[in-house]
Amino acid sequence: MVRKTFVMLCLLSGITSMMAQGQQQQRWDPKSTEWHYPVPPKVKPGKVPGAPPSDAIILFDGKDLSQWESADRENPGPAEWKVQNGELIVVPGKGTIKTKEFFGDCQLHIEFKSPSPGPHNGQDRGNSGIMLQSRYEIQVLDGDNNPTYVNGMVGSVYKQKAPEVNAYTINGEWQVYDIYWRGPRFTTGGELKEPAMVSVVLNGILIQNNYVLNGSTPYIGLPNYTPHGRMPLTLQDHGTEVAFRNIWIRNL
Ligand code: MG
């Protein structure tokens, strides 16, 4: 009996508060929940899907490597990858390359094509990588009937998170990545305040959905965070002639 009365009282108080809220909302001027500033800047989209919008920084438009340099500390200088037929092609042994400009939160568009597989399989077939802020790798790999560890397959956050699905098409076709990156935040004392987060779309399909990173993406060992600010975007030389094109980035 006591419990029944209690439930009735709760229900009644719920209904009364909903009615009060409704009455209050009716008294509101609708304009009081509308705002007019700041007005978002106008950005002109690209002419076709995948083309750079007006506020993008073009990192490679098929012509030259002017936005890039060698990421090899022992051998600094110009990036020594090949530009041919509008493509930027890894030259194995010439090392990873990095942008001259530093980036933090960003939207990145980048297209890649795996080389002919030859006798190679797994991690040796079309391996490269897109390293956000120089240390968080979104894997580039041939995903056409190429089994490997799933947290190292195409679309993985390397050795942390397999993609939700394999959206790679077939070897020899261009694959289109759109990456939405929120970098980690650190306190002024260098403690991690907020981890990094990434969403990745491959060929129009969402394959990483707001994944929260455990840290960097090393080949050996566990992910870890060390404090940093804006860093170059790097593309990995992993010994295979992966081609890239149409690379642009928007600062967020
Ligand atoms: Mg790689």
Side-chain angles (χ1 to χ4, degrees):
M1 183 62 190
V2 173
R3 189 194 275 182
K4 228 177 181 176
T5 313
F6 177 73
V7 171
M8 283 296 289
L9 278 172
C10 286
L11 274 172
L12 267 173
S13 88
I15 291 165
T16 318
S17 103
M18 273 162 66
M19 281 167 65
Q21 246 177 39
Q23 278 165 7
Q24 209 175 36
Q25 289 202 353
Q26 274 172 15
R27 281 201 298 271
W28 279 28
D29 178 350
K31 289 189 170 32
S32 66
T33 49
E34 299 165 6
W35 59 87
H36 297 267
Y37 304 98
V39 177
K42 176 77 187 150
V43 175
K44 201 171 158 213
K47 284 207 173 73
V48 291
S54 58
D55 64 347
I57 297 164
I58 312 293
L59 295 177
F60 180 69
D61 64 359
K63 295 191 187 92
D64 60 55
L65 276 164
S66 55
Q67 301 295 315
W68 300 84
E69 60 191 6
S70 168
D72 187 348
R73 273 189 213 147
E74 311 282 289
N75 189 23
E80 294 185 281
W81 290 12
K82 193 162 61 180
V83 176
Q84 192 177 289
N85 303 326
E87 302 173 8
L88 168 58
I89 304 164
V90 179
V91 178
K94 291 294 183 185
T96 294
I97 63 170
K98 63 177 181 180
T99 54
K100 292 176 183 170
E101 196 164 335
F102 286 42
F103 299 101
D105 298 356
C106 64
Q107 172 184 351
L108 172 68
H109 178 97
I110 182 164
E111 305 178 15
F112 73 93
K113 188 172 66 177
S114 311
S116 176
H120 305 295
N121 280 311
Q123 295 290 309
D124 292 330
R125 193 195 288 183
N127 196 335
S128 182
I130 299 156
M131 330 285 280
L132 296 148
Q133 296 193 294
S134 300
R135 63 190 75 198
Y136 309 100
E137 180 178 3
I138 305 300
Q139 177 67 302
V140 169
L141 198 73
D142 190 336
D144 183 359
N145 192 25
N146 183 32
T148 185
Y149 48 94
V150 295
N151 59 347
M153 67 184 280
V154 64
S156 62
V157 177
Y158 187 67
K159 289 207 171 174
Q160 280 194 44
K161 173 71 168 59
E164 300 292 335
V165 295
N166 182 356
Y168 188 100
T169 60
I170 56 170
N171 178 276
E173 282 188 352
W174 284 97
Q175 313 294 320
V176 182
Y177 262 141
D178 286 289
I179 298 171
Y180 308 92
W181 176 252
R182 181 180 159 85
R185 269 59 174 165
F186 300 93
T187 65
T188 46
E191 296 294 314
L192 180 69
K193 198 160 70 172
E194 284 177 53
M197 188 161 73
V198 72
S199 290
V200 179
V201 172
L202 177 58
N203 298 323
I205 298 167
L206 184 67
I207 61 167
Q208 298 285 0
N209 184 11
N210 285 322
Y211 174 68
V212 176
L213 279 80
N214 297 318
S216 56
T217 54
Y219 173 49
I220 298 169
L222 296 174
N224 67 86
Y225 277 112
T226 49
H228 63 84
R230 295 168 76 85
M231 293 292 289
L233 172 76
T234 65
L235 295 179
Q236 187 185 46
D237 169 9
H238 200 284
T240 53
E241 294 172 331
V242 178
F244 293 93
R245 72 175 184 189
N246 192 20
I247 311 174
W248 52 262
I249 194 165
R250 296 180 63 241
N251 284 310
L252 298 177

